Amino acid sequence: MGPTDRSAPPLRAVRLRARCPGCGKPAEQKYRPFCSKRCADVDLGRWLKEGYRVPTDETPDDGGGQP
C-alpha cells in the first residue's frame, strides 16, 4: 500500500464535543476549554494557590545553588 493507493477511503477527523475540565458541562467557545467564566476563574485560583502539583521524590533545594 503506497501513497498513491486509493482503494481505502480517506480518514476523517472526528470532532468530539469538548467538556469543561471543571464541571463536565459542554464547553462554551467564549471561555474554551471551560463552560463559564466561573469555572475558568476557579481553575485560575487553583493554579495561583499551587493546587496543581506534580508528585516527586526530590527534596527542595536549600537555595545555595551548589551541589
Side-chain angles (χ1 to χ4, degrees), residues 18-42:
R19 297 278 178 189
C20 176
C23 68
K25 292 180 183 176
E28 291 292 327
Q29 184 65 31
K30 183 176 179 181
Y31 302 107
R32 231 177 90 181
F34 304 101
C35 67
S36 65
K37 183 171 180 353
R38 180 186 178 281
C39 278
D41 288 344
V42 167

Side-chain angles (χ1 to χ4, degrees), residues 11-64:
L11 297 177
R12 294 181 185 227
V14 176
R15 182 172 286 197
L16 300 175
R17 180 77 181 180
R19 297 278 178 189
C20 176
C23 68
K25 292 180 183 176
E28 291 292 327
Q29 184 65 31
K30 183 176 179 181
Y31 302 107
R32 231 177 90 181
F34 304 101
C35 67
S36 65
K37 183 171 180 353
R38 180 186 178 281
C39 278
D41 288 344
V42 167
D43 186 71
L44 177 61
R46 288 179 181 150
W47 279 104
L48 294 175
K49 292 178 183 176
E50 297 182 3
Y52 297 120
R53 293 179 178 251
V54 177
T56 181
D57 294 334
E58 297 176 9
T59 58
D61 292 338
D62 61 346

Side-chain angles (χ1 to χ4, degrees), residues 1-13:
M1 222 189 229
T4 58
D5 183 16
R6 298 186 186 236
S7 61
L11 297 177
R12 294 181 185 227

